[in-house]
Amino acid sequence: MLGYLPLRLAYLCAVLVGAASTHYIDWVDCSKHVPPPATFLNTTNVNLSSLPQTLHCGRINVPMDYSKPIGVNNNITLGLAMYRPANPKGVIFFCPGGTDAGAAAAWRVALNQTGPYFPDFSGLEDYDLMMMDIRGTWSSNLLNVSLDTVSSIFVPNPTNQSEFDATKAASKAIIQSFDELSSPPGIVQFLGINEVIQDHESIRKALKYEKINFIGLSYGSYRAQLYAAKYPHHVGHFVLDAVVAPGLSLDDQANTGILAGNRALLRADAYCQNDPSCPFKAQGRGSVPKVSGGLCPNKPLFFSSLNIAVKNSSLETFALQYGIYNELQDQPIFPIINQDLAQLAQGNTSSLSGGGPLTINDAVGIPYLCSDYYFGDNTFAGFQKSLQAGTKLDTYKIGQTAAWNIRMYCAAWPYAVAPLKTLHLKAPMLFVTADFDASTPTEWATIAWKTADHSALLVRHGDNHTTFNLPASIATRMEKEFLRTGVLPRVQNGTEVTVYHAGMCRVPIPDPYDVPTGFVAGDCAIEDECNLN
């Protein structure tokens, strides 16, 4: 655990006398602030005593609670890293989404470490590139929690009041564990999107840029939109990739999440029809969802990633559903998914053992989600209503969606959350989505784009969660061109991409069997192609 980063003595004195500390970056020796291996940064052959001059590492102190002045009992330290050329043409803020490591991305750019599914900044090296670890993660005073306590929430969706009460008790224990083990005291209450966008604004002021450009991936797109709404005069060229739609209720998120899971499974089937090694190819179209929907557990399973053994039918069914759902998220590796389904059909459940033991970085996102989502009816009746509506759409019995998980994680969240609001953005922005993204359903991009008066919607006809990580994609080139020029891509309708401008109507999502498969479309053929950020 990185822990809470102490202030330097001189800087602490400045805070005590009321200096404008939120406008000051303390540049530090990068060799003493190396991101951990879990950030997918490879420093094995890197000479830390001779790092590139373009790499800059910094610390900035900001208020823990922005409604109060910064002080000894109201400050946290954010960690950031930047790629800085000699004469930058401007600055691009990069938010990779969720609680993903940000600062490590600047290291990878400076060290020229590339990978098929790493964010690709080629062509943007003449800009300052700012990457921050959001508060409470990685180098920004990483939160802490009992992982045994967290694992207690990984149970089937509650189907009666007593199960819901047990879920609520588990949620309460998790939140209490975060509160007790994280520092500084009280930080768990101040992790929401409103604080994070003010952190970005503090860094903008410290860097003395009047306007910033922004790449927001996944949940980073949500943060970028709220930043643009709060600070419109500082908005440059914003790319919102794998869009989360502000104002969309959890119930609507659940329904669209189920539909996205259906489409992702059909996408796996479409991939199978073009893959000679697919075990279901000879069975023809529809074989993959048929096998997935008909699976029944026949022996106890152990999920190492959840630290739980499952030994009864409801938990076994949950484990199967959870495993299949997880494999369809982010960058799905369809050959592995199809091979795993073939093993499951033969009774071999070892393929769903998970991705290793649960870590703090797996669990740390819970309080962020709880801070941002307004539940409305946070009762068992409300949960049941959402389950019943989503189940009617669950054609292939995947049985899982992130919105239901959030309801469970946050069932006992003790702090007030404001109702969701739809934004109305005036600055031209580029909204980017993929038809078959199972993590952020493509419907979300359409909803968000329609609230932005002068923006474009770029639809990539493939899968993969985020587009900016696909260096060979036409869509990625369009994103970079917009970042450089601010000129939206022209209206077009092609095999790989379709572009809509404001006022146009998006056509229905295409048949998954009519869309090309392969690396450019977002498909991972082997695991090494899918080195995730």
Side-chain angles (χ1 to χ4, degrees):
M1 174 181 170
L2 299 181
Y4 177 54
L5 299 174
L7 299 173
R8 297 193 316 169
L9 180 59
Y11 194 41
L12 176 57
C13 293
V15 171
L16 288 172
V17 299
S21 55
T22 55
H23 301 173
Y24 174 86
I25 295 176
D26 181 21
W27 298 106
V28 298
D29 182 350
C30 287
S31 67
K32 298 178 181 178
H33 297 273
V34 182
T39 61
F40 296 98
L41 177 70
N42 183 358
T43 58
T44 303
N45 298 313
V46 174
N47 183 356
L48 294 178
S49 65
S50 182
L51 291 168
Q53 293 183 354
T54 52
L55 179 63
H56 296 252
C57 300
R59 299 291 181 268
I60 182 170
N61 266 64
V62 298
M64 181 174 72
D65 176 2
Y66 272 95
S67 70
K68 300 176 181 178
I70 192 169
V72 175
N73 297 316
N74 186 42
N75 72 90
I76 58 173
T77 304
L78 305 176
L80 62 96
M82 293 184 67
Y83 170 89
R84 309 201 77 175
N87 298 296
K89 294 183 177 180
V91 65
I92 298 174
F93 281 33
F94 173 65
C95 186
T99 55
D100 293 345
W107 281 72
R108 287 200 295 270
V109 176
L111 296 173
N112 197 30
Q113 291 187 7
T114 60
Y117 282 82
F118 283 163
D120 173 40
F121 293 92
S122 59
L124 301 173
E125 297 96 339
D126 49 353
Y127 284 80
D128 273 344
L129 303 176
M130 196 293 294
M131 288 81 161
M132 172 185 77
D133 290 333
I134 67 166
R135 53 173 57 205
T137 71
W138 305 99
S139 64
S140 296
N141 58 281
L142 182 65
L143 302 182
N144 201 1
V145 68
S146 163
L147 295 180
D148 288 339
T149 302
V150 171
S151 66
S152 67
I153 202 74
F154 291 98
V155 294
N157 295 318
T159 58
N160 56 52
Q161 185 65 52
S162 65
E163 290 177 355
F164 181 78
D165 291 343
T167 296
K168 197 166 185 176
S171 170
K172 182 178 180 179
I174 292 168
I175 296 162
Q176 183 175 347
S177 179
F178 270 112
D179 268 327
E180 292 174 349
L181 299 179
S182 299
S183 62
I187 188 176
V188 172
Q189 188 177 350
F190 302 103
L191 298 171
I193 198 165
N194 290 319
E195 286 80 19
V196 173
I197 63 175
Q198 288 178 94
D199 291 342
H200 279 111
E201 176 64 359
S202 295
I203 294 173
R204 180 200 67 78
K205 290 178 178 178
L207 293 174
K208 296 180 170 57
Y209 274 103
E210 182 60 25
K211 290 192 174 185
I212 62 171
N213 306 311
F214 207 117
I215 304 170
L217 308 185
S218 190
Y219 211 74
S221 74
Y222 189 19
R223 293 170 181 143
Q225 291 170 81
L226 265 72
Y227 179 93
K230 187 175 180 67
Y231 304 107
H233 299 299
H234 302 305
V235 174
H237 309 150
F238 276 42
V239 169
L240 314 170
D241 188 342
V243 180
V244 176
L248 188 64
S249 72
L250 269 177
D251 290 346
D252 288 337
Q253 288 191 34
N255 291 341
T256 49
I258 290 292
L259 294 175
N262 291 341
R263 291 191 293 263
L265 202 60
L266 290 176
R267 180 75 173 162
D269 192 57
Y271 191 98
C272 179
Q273 306 312 307
N274 296 306
D275 177 14
S277 68
C278 178
F280 309 113
K281 182 174 175 59
Q283 299 177 32
R285 182 179 295 189
S287 55
V288 171
K290 181 179 179 180
V291 170
S292 176
L295 288 175
C296 293
N298 58 10
K299 67 178 182 178
L301 309 178
F302 179 75
F303 265 50
S304 60
S305 61
L306 307 183
N307 291 331
I308 58 173
V310 291
K311 300 177 181 178
N312 64 56
S313 59
S314 63
L315 284 175
E316 289 170 352
T317 299
F318 158 72
L320 285 172
Q321 292 176 332
Y322 192 89
I324 294 169
Y325 169 80
N326 272 348
E327 288 198 331
L328 293 172
Q329 301 300 297
D330 297 322
Q331 285 82 26
I333 311 171
F334 291 128
I336 292 179
I337 291 172
N338 292 334
Q339 291 290 341
D340 287 351
L341 286 173
Q343 292 184 38
L344 288 168
Q346 298 298 317
N348 182 353
T349 59
S350 61
S351 61
L352 293 184
S353 61
L358 186 71
T359 70
I360 183 64
N361 294 310
D362 298 321
V364 76
I366 292 175
Y368 296 86
L369 295 169
C370 300
S371 297
D372 290 343
Y373 282 96
Y374 176 75
F375 290 94
D377 185 1
N378 192 21
T379 64
F380 171 65
F383 202 127
Q384 187 179 43
K385 180 180 177 181
S386 181
L387 282 175
Q388 290 173 345
T391 300
K392 291 178 181 178
L393 303 172
D394 191 10
T395 307
Y396 305 115
K397 302 179 183 179
I398 296 175
Q400 296 290 317
T401 178
W404 293 338
N405 292 333
I406 293 171
R407 277 185 172 272
M408 295 171 68
Y409 301 154
C410 307
W413 185 248
Y415 307 113
V417 179
L420 300 168
K421 293 183 179 179
T422 301
L423 303 181
H424 296 283
L425 304 175
K426 301 299 182 182
M429 299 182 183
L430 183 59
F431 291 77
V432 185
T433 185
D435 286 321
F436 305 102
D437 178 359
S439 299
T440 50
T442 191
E443 290 92 343
W444 298 0
T446 305
I447 292 167
W449 164 64
K450 286 183 177 179
T451 69
D453 295 341
H454 308 289
S455 297
L457 175 65
L458 169 57
V459 181
R460 182 171 52 80
H461 300 308
D463 54 80
N464 189 75
H465 180 50
T466 73
T467 291
F468 194 74
N469 295 7
L470 304 174
S473 171
I474 292 174
T476 302
R477 296 200 294 272
M478 290 179 172
E479 288 180 309
K480 292 179 180 178
E481 184 66 17
F482 177 72
L483 285 166
R484 297 188 66 86
T485 67
V487 177
L488 295 168
R490 63 178 176 82
V491 173
Q492 55 191 283
N493 184 19
T495 302
E496 290 188 31
V497 299
T498 296
V499 178
Y500 302 90
H501 282 191
M504 297 179 67
C505 293
R506 182 179 175 182
V507 301
I509 299 168
D511 187 315
Y513 300 95
D514 294 337
V515 175
T517 57
F519 184 71
V520 173
D523 300 327
C524 303
I526 56 174
E527 191 164 11
D528 286 345
E529 284 186 347
C530 299
N531 288 323
L532 309 183
N533 179 40

